[in-house]
């Protein structure tokens, strides 16, 4: 998986390419840990090039959502394909995350 990070003002966008699964979820978790060490920021996940997400990937996103809630900032997911959106719907994550 490839992660491209872009910060503009108080918003950090992470564009993910490839698969977010057991093997790659640690990479995203580490990236998020570094982000959360700094100032409180809004997070945008750009999933336009994300092919697949597993339960391990969902766990990382849920942890990030909880952290954002504590910080009082916002997190949203944009560009997810229909397969990834279906995973969010089936698991109920679409009810607790902003998914555009």
């Amino acid at each position: 998986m490839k992660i491209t990070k872009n910060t503009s003002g108080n918003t950090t966008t992470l564009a993910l390419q490839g698969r977010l699964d057991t093997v790659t979820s640690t990479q995203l978790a580490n990236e998020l840990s570094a982000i959360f060490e700094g100032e409180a920021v809004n997070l945008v996940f750009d999933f336009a090039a994300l092919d697949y997400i597993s339960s391990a990937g969902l766990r990382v996103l849920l942890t990030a959502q909880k952290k954002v809630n504590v910080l009082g900032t916002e997190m949203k997911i944009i560009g997810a394909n229909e397969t990834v959106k279906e995973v969010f719907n089936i698991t109920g994550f679409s009810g607790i995350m902003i998914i555009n």
Side-chain angles (χ1 to χ4, degrees):
M1 178 180 65
K2 179 181 176 188
I3 301 174
T4 304
K5 179 179 161 184
N6 181 26
T7 301
S8 176
N10 68 339
T11 301
T12 296
T13 301
L14 297 174
L16 278 58
Q17 181 179 358
R19 296 172 56 91
L20 179 53
D21 55 22
T22 305
V23 175
T24 60
S25 62
T26 303
Q27 179 185 355
L28 179 59
N30 291 340
E31 185 71 42
L32 288 168
S33 290
I35 290 169
F36 288 131
E37 286 177 3
E39 287 186 34
V41 296
N42 295 311
L43 283 177
V44 176
F45 290 95
D46 183 348
F47 283 0
L50 186 70
D51 302 321
Y52 172 83
I53 187 166
S54 73
S55 60
L58 291 172
R59 191 168 32 258
V60 172
L61 293 178
L62 183 59
T63 301
Q65 182 67 61
K66 288 178 180 179
K67 182 71 171 174
V68 163
N69 292 349
V70 168
L71 294 172
T73 57
E74 185 178 84
M75 179 178 119
K76 67 180 173 179
I77 297 166
I78 61 171
N81 66 36
E82 289 306 312
T83 304
V84 172
K85 282 183 181 178
E86 185 176 350
V87 171
F88 286 123
N89 289 333
I90 289 170
T91 58
F93 275 56
S94 56
I96 58 173
M97 295 181 181
I98 301 169
I99 302 169
N100 296 334

